[in-house]
């Protein structure tokens, strides 16, 4: 690999690979490339590693995949030495784990923190990417890997008067590092997606009063979290190789659940209700696997949705509040199903009110609070739990330019298109980890991350061994893969919800189902077959030398 001094500030030659983002994906990508002999550096906007688990430190932030599965599998010693304290790990524990990994594998020496990447441009003559930081420094590399995360571009709604509010303004995805004290405060919470559902019970337990502004009610199931037991931990650690293999290759999401081999309508009503109740008491997203067709059949889905609505009515004591919390506008889990601790019961507290903004729209933020439905609400603190510009937001925030200066954001104006969620036609040597068109957010993210990192690494080794300089998705292959992604989605109930999977939470964003819903095991096989077939659907080429061009 060609090397020359380029920017002393980063002690960087012309790198083999620039990696953007120091979350789970960026850390494993760096570790993997190092072991294979590639020079690489990670650039991260935050003050430390962690990605989404660095920024999302709001009260109650917790993973909805069991901790023994939401963890790296690439190193058996790491699997055995780390001890999780709970079934579903909290944000602080996950962040400690990520920091442990960064230290254990000595990754920090190749991670540049407090450095936001604002642009990345492909030079067709050199075949290199020039990456530019927010303060104007540049780094040159042969390959660029975007490990920017699918849920990392936070969204703040455009509400008139926000800049005039006199109190504190918080966003769940940009939470301050210092613990925030809500004691004695009047708090307005805007949004009841996953972060709102997790945060509201803890904020309400501390604040003087909480008013929740809900646009769309979401389905949520109880976590039933518990402290990790020695027996449960041992059952995983003694069988990790076989369990991980089954999760990777034989499941739809890369997570092992208690799977059913029956459809909901194949059993009688009493059996169906008993199974839903058992799953409800067990807790977690395992509820959605009570029957094997809950995201394929509308009648089957409705039986599960109706069960959850019945639970909401049972838990929430005020009938009007309970009815406002009932979701009717989308199938159960067509929007990401939430996993909570005492969310619905929180509305039984005397210091919690719910405002349905479909009936009382938020008109403006005022210096003292906000106005909704011609009513004035006074707050000391506003908490925005309004989510993300998912999957594409972080990538579009960077001025990425490929061949002939074409911008990625322009190419994706009508919706993101990629080949396998790994590369985009017209953008050679640019890889996206868990990008749109891959299982991504529908899966156990770490399982998907490891598969993408391994595939990219093997691809780079192939290019090095064969003396090939460039790899680029073919337009035809990208189009055909987009058709497969759309067809897979249409076989399910997912497109029937106005979800962030569809980009529906962002005004003006093109509506299309972004992740691949054909199953992680199936997707892995497709990626492996593509590579084995000489990287079918990709164009591989060398860069003509200056002598060859002049001749």
């Amino acid at each position: 690999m060609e090397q020359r001094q380029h920017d002393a500030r980063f002690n960087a030659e012309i790198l083999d690979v620039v990696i953007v983002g120091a979350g789970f994906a960026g850390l494993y990508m760096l570790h993997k490339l190092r072991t294979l002999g590639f020079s690489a550096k990670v650039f991260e906007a935050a003050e430390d590693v962690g990605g989404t688990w660095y920024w999302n430190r709001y009260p109650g932030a917790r993973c909805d995949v069991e901790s023994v599965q939401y963890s790296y599998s690439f190193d058996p010693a790491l699997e055995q030495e780390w001890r999780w304290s709970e079934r579903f790990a909290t944000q602080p524990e996950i962040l400690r784990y990520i920091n442990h990994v960064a230290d254990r594998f000595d990754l920090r020496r190749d991670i540049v923190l407090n450095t936001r990447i604002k642009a990345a441009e492909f030079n067709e003559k050199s075949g290199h990417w020039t990456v530019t930081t927010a303060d104007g420094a540049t780094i040159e590399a042969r390959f660029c890997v975007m490990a920017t995360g699918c849920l990392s571009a936070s969204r703040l709604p455009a509400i008139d008067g926000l800049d005039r509010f006199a109190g504190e303004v918080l966003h769940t995805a940009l939470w301050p590092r210092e613990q925030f004290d809500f004691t004695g405060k009047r708090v307005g919470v805007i949004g009841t997606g996953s972060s709102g559902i997790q945060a509201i019970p803890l904020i309400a337990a501390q604040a003087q009063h909480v008013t929740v502004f809900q646009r769309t009610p979401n389905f949520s199931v109880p976590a039933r979290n518990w402290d990790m037991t020695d027996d449960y931990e041992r059952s995983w650690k003694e069988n990790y190789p076989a369990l991980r293999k089954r999760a990777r290759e034989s499941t739809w999401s890369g997570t092992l659940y208690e799977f059913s081999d029956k459809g909901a309508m194949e059993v009688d009503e009493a059996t169906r209700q008993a199974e839903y109740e058992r799953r409800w008491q067990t807790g977690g997203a395992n509820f959605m696997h009570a029957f094997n067709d809950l995201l394929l059949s509308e009648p089957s889905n409705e039986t599960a949705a109706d069960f959850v609505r019945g639970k909401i009515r049972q838990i929430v004591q005020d009938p009007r509040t309970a009815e406002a919390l009932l979701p009717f506008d989308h199938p159960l889990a067509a929007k990401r199903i939430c996993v909570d601790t005492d969310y619905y019961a929180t509305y039984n507290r005397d210091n919690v009110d719910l405002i349905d903004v479909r009936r009382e729209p938020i008109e403006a933020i005022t210096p003292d609070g906000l106005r909704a439905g011609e009513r004035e609400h006074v707050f000391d603190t506003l908490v925005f739990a309004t989510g993300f510009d998912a999957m594409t937001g972080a990538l579009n925030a960077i001025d990425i330019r490929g061949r002939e200066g074409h911008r990625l954001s322009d190419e994706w104006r009508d919706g993101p298109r990629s080949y396998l969620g790994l590369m985009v036609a017209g953008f050679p040597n640019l890889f996206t980890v868990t990008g749109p068109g891959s299982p991504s957010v529908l899966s156990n993210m770490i399982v998907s991350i490891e598969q993408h990192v391994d595939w990219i690494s093997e691809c780079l080794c192939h290019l090095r061994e064969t003396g090939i300089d460039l790899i680029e998705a073919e337009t035809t292959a990208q189009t055909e893969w987009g058709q497969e992604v759309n067809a897979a989605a249409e076989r399910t109930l997912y497109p029937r919800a106005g979800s962030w999977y569809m980009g529906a939470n962002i005004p003006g964003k093109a509506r299309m189902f972004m992740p691949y819903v054909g199953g992680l095991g199936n997707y892995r096989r497709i990626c492996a077959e593509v590579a084995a077939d000489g990287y079918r659907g990709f164009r591989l080429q060398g860069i003509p030398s200056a002598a060859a061009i002049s001749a």
Side-chain angles (χ1 to χ4, degrees):
M1 301 287 179
E2 179 189 5
Q3 293 188 350
R4 73 170 186 265
Q5 194 67 27
H6 189 66
D7 191 322
R9 201 159 67 95
F10 300 124
N11 190 27
E13 323 77 42
I14 293 180
L15 294 167
D16 293 330
V17 186
V18 159
I19 303 164
V20 183
F24 274 109
L27 295 189
Y28 181 44
M29 189 82 247
L30 175 60
H31 172 70
K32 185 78 173 184
L33 291 173
R34 268 194 195 167
T35 64
L36 295 171
F38 292 95
S39 62
K41 282 194 182 292
V42 175
F43 294 87
E44 168 58 50
E47 297 176 354
D48 208 343
V49 302
T52 191
W53 295 106
Y54 173 87
W55 297 107
N56 286 263
R57 52 181 75 232
Y58 58 86
R62 187 185 296 274
C63 189
D64 58 4
V65 176
E66 288 192 349
S67 52
V68 290
Q69 301 194 62
Y70 192 80
S71 51
Y72 287 122
S73 68
F74 69 84
D75 186 274
L78 175 63
E79 286 183 313
Q80 295 299 318
E81 72 192 23
W82 184 264
R83 301 202 64 183
W84 295 102
S85 68
E86 296 181 82
R87 178 190 186 189
F88 297 109
T90 61
Q91 177 271 337
E93 185 168 21
I94 295 171
L95 190 58
R96 286 195 298 272
Y97 173 72
I98 296 173
N99 276 274
H100 172 75
V101 171
D103 295 333
R104 189 188 191 282
F105 295 100
D106 188 26
L107 300 178
R108 295 184 189 276
R109 60 185 167 90
D110 287 318
I111 300 173
V112 183
L113 300 170
N114 296 303
T115 303
R116 184 173 295 278
I117 299 301
K118 72 172 185 179
E121 185 170 6
F122 180 69
N123 185 312
E124 294 189 60
K125 186 173 292 186
S126 68
H128 295 167
W129 281 90
T130 299
V131 177
T132 305
T133 68
D135 62 0
T138 60
I139 311 96
E140 194 170 343
R142 290 191 58 208
F143 301 93
C144 187
V145 176
M146 291 294 174
T148 47
C150 298
L151 298 175
S152 55
S154 59
R155 172 184 177 265
L156 194 64
I159 302 176
D160 180 54
L162 180 57
D163 58 338
R164 297 194 296 272
F165 180 61
E168 304 103 341
V169 176
L170 302 172
H171 193 293
T172 49
L174 294 170
W175 206 261
R177 295 187 70 169
E178 303 78 20
Q179 187 174 1
F180 191 87
D181 187 3
F182 287 97
T183 302
K185 293 185 181 295
R186 298 160 297 180
V187 183
V189 179
I190 300 172
T192 55
S194 181
S195 61
I197 283 172
Q198 288 184 327
I200 287 165
L202 276 78
I203 295 173
Q206 194 177 63
Q208 175 186 325
H209 193 276
V210 174
T211 304
V212 178
F213 294 86
Q214 172 191 267
R215 182 188 63 181
T216 307
N218 278 301
F219 289 102
S220 189
V221 296
R224 311 289 187 204
N225 196 32
W226 32 258
D227 292 340
M228 185 65 65
T229 66
D230 291 341
D231 287 345
Y232 192 72
E233 181 182 43
R234 191 179 307 112
S235 73
W236 277 88
K237 289 189 172 182
E238 290 179 353
N239 299 285
Y240 253 141
L243 292 170
R244 297 282 204 188
K245 186 175 189 296
R246 184 156 66 92
R248 285 192 296 261
E249 299 177 4
S250 304
T251 69
W252 178 81
S253 68
T255 308
L256 294 177
Y257 292 108
E258 182 187 356
F259 300 109
S260 173
D261 61 357
K262 291 184 174 62
M265 309 307 286
E266 294 179 38
V267 301
D268 61 45
E269 175 70 11
T271 301
R272 192 162 53 240
Q273 292 299 310
E275 182 62 6
Y276 288 144
E277 182 64 33
R278 185 179 73 83
R279 300 267 180 161
W280 182 269
Q281 296 303 328
T282 301
N286 191 47
F287 180 87
M288 284 306 301
H289 299 279
F291 299 100
N292 63 12
D293 62 346
L294 294 185
L295 278 165
L296 302 174
S297 164
E298 192 164 3
S300 292
N301 187 283
E302 184 59 21
T303 65
D306 196 52
F307 176 88
V308 175
R309 287 191 286 260
K311 285 293 185 181
I312 297 170
R313 291 188 178 104
Q314 186 180 78
I315 295 168
V316 180
Q317 295 166 2
D318 177 60
R320 290 187 62 185
T321 302
E323 289 304 307
L325 289 166
L326 300 180
F328 282 101
D329 68 339
H330 64 279
L332 174 68
K335 290 185 176 182
R336 186 181 180 95
I337 194 167
C338 301
V339 177
D340 73 87
T341 300
D342 298 328
Y343 173 65
Y344 293 116
T346 297
Y347 291 98
N348 295 330
R349 298 178 61 102
D350 292 337
N351 69 328
V352 177
D353 289 327
L354 177 68
I355 304 295
D356 183 349
V357 300
R358 292 172 300 182
R359 296 183 178 181
E360 298 182 62
I362 297 175
E363 298 166 7
I365 306 291
T366 67
D368 296 325
L370 64 79
R371 185 169 64 254
E374 299 182 352
R375 280 201 292 168
E376 299 287 340
H377 299 268
V378 177
F379 299 118
D380 304 297
T381 306
L382 287 175
V383 175
F384 287 87
T386 46
F388 305 89
D389 183 352
M391 301 195 72
T392 60
L395 291 167
N396 284 337
I398 302 171
D399 184 9
I400 301 174
R401 302 192 188 198
R403 290 192 185 277
E404 300 179 0
H406 290 166
R407 285 188 172 92
L408 182 65
S409 57
D410 291 337
E411 296 294 318
W412 282 2
R413 184 173 288 115
D414 296 326
R417 287 162 177 80
S418 74
Y419 183 36
L420 301 174
L422 282 161
M423 299 195 83
V424 179
F427 295 81
N429 291 6
L430 177 76
F431 296 93
T432 55
V433 181
T434 62
S438 74
S440 187
V441 291
L442 296 178
S443 68
N444 179 337
M445 286 298 294
I446 299 184
V447 178
S448 281
I449 283 167
E450 288 188 325
Q451 184 263 332
H452 265 198
V453 168
D454 289 344
W455 192 96
I456 293 167
S457 301
E458 290 164 10
C459 175
L460 294 185
C461 286
H462 174 77
L463 300 182
R464 180 171 61 184
E465 291 163 5
T466 55
I468 293 170
D469 298 298
L470 301 177
I471 180 169
E472 179 180 353
E474 295 177 350
T475 302
T476 300
Q478 177 171 284
T479 299
E480 291 174 350
W481 181 247
Q483 292 168 348
E484 170 57 25
V485 171
N486 291 336
E490 289 300 326
R491 291 191 289 268
T492 74
L493 301 178
Y494 278 109
R496 302 194 187 185
S499 66
W500 55 259
Y501 297 141
M502 299 282 292
N505 64 319
I506 305 298
K509 188 171 181 176
R511 299 285 186 97
M512 65 182 296
F513 195 76
M514 293 182 283
Y516 174 61
V517 76
L520 183 60
N522 182 51
Y523 173 81
R524 289 177 64 91
R525 286 188 290 274
I526 293 170
C527 289
E529 290 167 1
V530 164
D533 196 15
Y535 292 90
R536 182 179 70 246
F538 291 96
R539 184 159 60 100
L540 282 63
Q541 65 181 100
I543 300 173
S545 66
I549 293 173
S550 62

